[in-house]
Amino acid sequence: MVCSRAEIIVRGIVQGVGFRPFIYRNALKFGLFGFVRNRGDASVEIVVEGKRESIDCFVNALRNNPPPLARIYDLTVTHSECKGSFKGFKILKSRKASTLRGSIIPSDIAICNDCLRELRDPKNRRYEYFFITCTNCGPRYTIIEKLPYDRSNTTMKSFPMCPTCSKEYKDPLNRRFHAQTVACSKCGPKVYLTTNDGEEVDCKDPIREAGSLIGEGYIIAIKGNGGFHIATATTLSEPIAELRKTKHRRQKPFAIMARSLETVKTFAEVSKWEAFLLQSNIRPIVLLRKSENYYLSDLISPGLHNIGVMLPYTGLHVMLFDDVAEPAFVMTSANPPSEPIIIDNDEALRKLGGEVDFFLFHNRRIAQRCDDSVVRLHKRRIAIIRRSRGYAPEPIHVKTPSNLGIVGMGAEENVTTCLLSGDQAVLSQHIGDVETLETLSFLKATIKHLADLTNSKIEAVACDLHPLFNTTKLAEDLERNLGCTLIRVQHHHAHLASLMAEHGLKEAIGIVCDGFGYGSDGEAWGGEVLYSNFKEYKRVGHLQRQPMVGGDLATRYPIRMAAGVLSQSIDVEEWLMEKCRFLPYREAEASIILDHLRKRK
Ligand SMILES: [Zn+2]
Ligand SMILES: [Zn+2]
């Protein structure tokens, strides 16, 4: 037999997706010897020896039929002479080597159907185990602390496998072969219910007990994979009104989690594509139109024709609905105003104890916080409103690669950060409004984490032109500390440029209707018609200028904006005084606004 050898490097999303077990099985199938191992840069390295035709078949299988969750961005094969040094095929311990770029770990994946079946099967050893997962599902991004993706580098390291789990982990024929999140009720994370001051509630079944309490109208903070949710009933208005009071959210809609797709159809219109997305392994919050017989509380999304709905995405969520008649639960991110979603048990007790009745905790740390994603469908096209769990950190591929590692900061509200490296734009999870120290630290940590996960060096940093944004100050810090180039980008131009990058356009004329942005002339811009190419942009046209009394305050209190616009054509004194209850300081504030408007004339 003529023996040949091939060294293969696979880049993409290839760790944490069952890739090594897949390689192992294929190597056996094609009679090849050698090894596979994870590398410290999130890529996978394979060395095989055997018949040349078998190696070719093996590589073809890899290319054309990878595991469902894997994404291969690049695959290199180097052939050489056989050394005959292997006696079989092995999965080796990971190697720290991190010299390659272009790979990243997967996002969190919703519970798969096999695990769901086992969760409900009394004969299965993971029957009713709330954190049941396998190679095809479970948390990834939210548990990883560093590469390579091995259990010891995730928050699962605090839960050593019991002998039975360990046996499954080592069995090539098992679905949990080399699954880093493998655990059971004996060895895995535990769940417990406490009162709002942290005293444990003595009950046999904390999850179902929590579900029942929600059904009775209590408000419960529930720890998930990427942070805490605050949950309550959807058919009772009283707890939702209470929640609005404590969360200081008078109007903003709450997302809900429904028991099943069939249930969703009883209160919302669901197209074929929306149903597909709701049940996909991303399982985002999908904005749906309320149906004519909508019967949930009007306080969930007051005055709106649509409602944000998701389906359970962990065993814990599935079990919450078991002992309760509620069709859905309010499930809103637990975060104090302008702070990121809470992930730590003690912090939750401290910051949420005053607003919830109970806590449903588990004892696994969350390494990366990650809110739920929000999407809307236009027929079958997805418009992403918040790209977070299930999407982040999967990159978007751009047609014009960058030879520098560039980090984009975002502006100030609803920030996500983006790391451009080669042809990959790696977008972070939702960071939030960078107005507090907490959100700023979260942003900083996320930038570092993404750079580590993608093995990228930050050589340039792009920020908004606004000199006072916290993101601008952070960018200036990075410029000083890392010695990288600082690029200031006009807000509306950034929006157009990102569209151009996503769609591979070299130049474009765009209408950018985003509200407020700091203009290159130091004025507030908004509603811009821009011409842009890769190097520069021109302001071709814009909406008529309007006075913004109080600057940024006018974006928060639209009545200031309205007074400004109206004052151009009529005397607004009487009108504004009549409406001054919408301003925090009422008459006094209205007088200042009027003074200001008079002075402009
Ligand atoms: Zn699974
Ligand atoms: Zn176990």
Side-chain angles (χ1 to χ4, degrees):
M1 175 185 98
V2 184
C3 176
S4 183
R5 177 187 175 100
E7 295 179 22
I8 304 162
I9 296 282
V10 194
R11 283 186 281 180
I13 300 180
V14 286
Q15 294 190 10
V17 289
F19 203 74
R20 288 174 304 166
F22 161 82
I23 295 297
Y24 179 91
R25 285 181 205 120
N26 273 285
L28 295 197
K29 181 174 160 193
F30 295 109
L32 301 174
F33 289 1
F35 67 82
V36 57
R37 66 180 162 199
N38 280 347
R39 290 169 49 101
D41 46 30
S43 63
V44 167
E45 177 184 356
I46 308 157
V47 176
V48 283
E49 289 189 352
K51 274 197 250 168
R52 177 62 196 252
E53 305 87 79
S54 306
I55 293 181
D56 290 344
C57 291
F58 171 81
V59 173
N60 277 342
L62 229 167
R63 252 191 241 279
N64 303 328
N65 221 352
L69 297 174
R71 304 268 182 282
I72 296 179
Y73 300 148
D74 183 50
L75 189 153
T76 56
V77 187
T78 316
H79 291 282
S80 60
E81 265 176 41
C82 185
K83 294 181 184 161
S85 42
F86 305 118
K87 291 205 172 65
F89 194 87
K90 279 196 178 127
I91 296 183
L92 294 190
K93 254 182 87 175
S94 303
R95 201 177 147 197
K96 284 223 169 66
S98 53
T99 47
L100 303 172
R101 293 200 305 201
S103 296
I104 191 147
I105 55 128
S107 56
D108 284 14
I109 306 144
I111 185 168
C112 73
N113 287 336
D114 288 332
C115 285
L116 254 182
R117 214 171 299 123
E118 290 174 351
L119 179 77
R120 298 304 200 189
D121 175 6
K123 288 197 214 82
N124 192 280
R125 56 182 294 268
R126 289 190 184 78
Y127 175 55
E128 305 204 323
Y129 181 55
F130 73 104
F131 265 175
I132 183 170
T133 61
C134 70
T135 331
N136 302 320
C137 74
R140 300 288 188 271
Y141 183 61
T142 53
I143 58 168
I144 190 162
E145 296 189 301
K146 58 177 191 226
L147 286 171
Y149 177 70
D150 286 335
R151 194 173 179 110
S152 55
N153 291 336
T154 71
T155 53
M156 281 304 287
K157 70 177 168 213
S158 322
F159 305 95
M161 280 179 266
C162 69
T164 323
C165 282
S166 177
K167 217 173 123 201
E168 290 174 301
Y169 180 87
K170 288 179 192 144
D171 175 6
L173 297 176
N174 195 288
R175 200 170 87 249
R176 296 189 172 84
F177 182 43
H178 276 267
Q180 307 302 346
T181 53
V182 63
C184 68
S185 55
K186 272 203 203 91
C187 63
K190 307 268 186 294
V191 65
Y192 54 101
L193 186 70
T194 80
T195 58
N196 59 2
D197 50 11
E199 196 159 317
E200 197 163 335
V201 176
D202 188 22
C203 62
K204 248 182 85 189
D205 194 341
I207 298 175
R208 294 195 177 96
E209 181 67 29
S212 304
L213 288 167
I214 296 173
E216 286 167 33
Y218 288 101
I219 299 175
I220 305 200
I222 298 174
K223 188 180 185 183
N225 283 341
F228 279 83
H229 281 114
I230 295 184
T232 195
T234 49
T235 55
L236 308 169
S237 286
E238 210 176 292
I240 304 177
E242 179 68 28
L243 197 55
R244 291 212 168 275
K245 224 166 44 198
T246 50
K247 272 206 99 181
H248 308 287
R249 273 168 65 163
R250 276 200 312 218
Q251 288 287 320
K252 216 173 153 192
F254 287 136
I256 65 170
M257 179 180 277
R259 166 191 298 275
S260 67
L261 181 63
E262 287 62 46
T263 316
V264 181
K265 288 178 178 165
T266 63
F267 58 78
E269 288 169 19
V270 188
S271 73
K272 184 169 83 180
W273 300 106
E274 286 162 342
F276 178 78
L277 202 57
L278 278 168
Q279 297 180 98
S280 70
N281 61 20
I282 300 171
R283 232 157 281 188
I285 295 168
V286 182
L287 295 186
L288 301 173
R289 181 178 278 272
K290 293 175 183 169
S291 59
E292 263 174 32
N293 28 22
Y294 175 84
Y295 58 92
L296 307 179
S297 166
D298 284 327
L299 290 182
I300 297 170
S301 56
L304 296 177
H305 68 284
N306 53 21
I307 182 164
V309 186
M310 64 183 148
L311 290 177
Y313 55 88
T314 67
L316 182 147
H317 296 137
V318 172
M319 288 164 69
L320 270 179
F321 286 97
D322 280 351
D323 279 357
V324 62
E326 278 293 293
F329 296 150
V330 166
M331 274 282 193
T332 180
S333 299
N335 58 301
S338 294
E339 285 185 30
I341 185 170
I342 293 174
I343 54 173
D344 179 74
N345 290 6
D346 291 336
E347 190 191 2
L349 274 171
R350 216 170 47 241
K351 292 189 172 166
L352 302 174
E355 38 184 288
V356 304
D357 302 306
F358 295 94
F359 286 93
L360 185 63
F361 286 116
H362 62 72
N363 61 346
R364 182 173 68 203
R365 270 188 317 110
I366 295 172
Q368 304 303 322
R369 56 166 60 81
C370 198
D371 289 82
D372 298 312
S373 294
V374 185
V375 305
R376 176 206 298 269
L377 268 124
H378 298 284
K379 297 236 164 75
R380 41 187 298 192
R381 292 172 79 111
I382 300 178
I384 294 185
I385 293 162
R386 186 164 75 194
R387 192 179 185 276
S388 216
R389 174 182 55 77
Y391 291 102
E394 186 170 346
I396 290 173
H397 289 263
V398 293
K399 290 214 172 82
T400 314
S402 160
N403 44 17
L404 288 181
I406 308 178
V407 61
M409 285 288 168
E412 187 146 85
E413 287 184 0
N414 283 316
V415 164
T416 54
T417 178
C418 175
L419 185 74
L420 181 64
S421 172
D423 70 338
Q424 296 185 357
V426 180
L427 285 141
S428 74
Q429 69 271 44
H430 170 74
I431 305 283
D433 300 343
V434 188
E435 290 167 341
T436 59
L437 210 55
E438 285 80 2
T439 328
L440 188 65
S441 321
F442 177 31
L443 175 63
K444 262 192 231 172
T446 305
I447 292 171
K448 182 174 182 316
H449 190 59
L450 283 186
D452 289 347
L453 284 184
T454 53
N455 196 30
S456 305
K457 196 169 166 244
I458 299 173
E459 290 152 306
V461 50
C463 68
D464 199 282
L465 208 53
H466 200 306
L468 298 179
F469 278 172
N470 287 320
T471 46
T472 303
K473 290 176 188 155
L474 177 58
E476 289 164 351
D477 277 355
L478 289 178
E479 180 194 25
R480 261 193 307 275
N481 300 335
L482 301 179
C484 53
T485 314
L486 180 65
I487 307 160
R488 297 175 199 268
V489 190
Q490 199 281 322
H491 191 89
H492 300 86
H493 181 216
H495 276 297
L496 181 57
S498 64
L499 277 177
M500 288 168 61
E502 190 177 343
H503 296 279
L505 301 174
K506 291 211 166 83
E507 59 175 356
I509 292 174
I511 302 172
V512 188
C513 295
D514 189 46
F516 164 81
Y518 192 87
S520 56
D521 52 4
E523 297 281 332
W525 288 11
E528 303 300 303
V529 183
L530 302 178
Y531 161 82
S532 169
N533 57 32
F534 270 155
K535 282 219 170 73
E536 57 190 358
Y537 75 96
K538 234 199 243 143
R539 192 184 191 197
V540 186
H542 58 86
L543 288 181
Q544 193 186 334
R545 291 171 47 131
Q546 303 291 351
M548 277 178 79
V549 183
D552 286 354
L553 268 184
T555 62
R556 263 174 234 168
Y557 298 96
I559 190 168
R560 284 174 169 262
M561 199 72 223
V565 175
L566 289 174
S567 73
Q568 314 262 60
S569 11
I570 56 163
D571 183 359
V572 288
E573 180 165 355
E574 202 180 315
W575 177 84
L576 188 62
M577 281 302 178
E578 206 177 279
K579 301 247 175 316
C580 70
R581 65 179 186 282
F582 296 113
L583 293 164
Y585 299 98
R586 304 198 167 211
E587 282 93 352
E589 193 171 342
S591 304
I592 295 173
I593 296 171
L594 289 168
D595 267 358
H596 191 101
L597 288 172
R598 268 183 224 115
K599 272 187 211 135
R600 286 180 55 93
K601 286 197 173 158

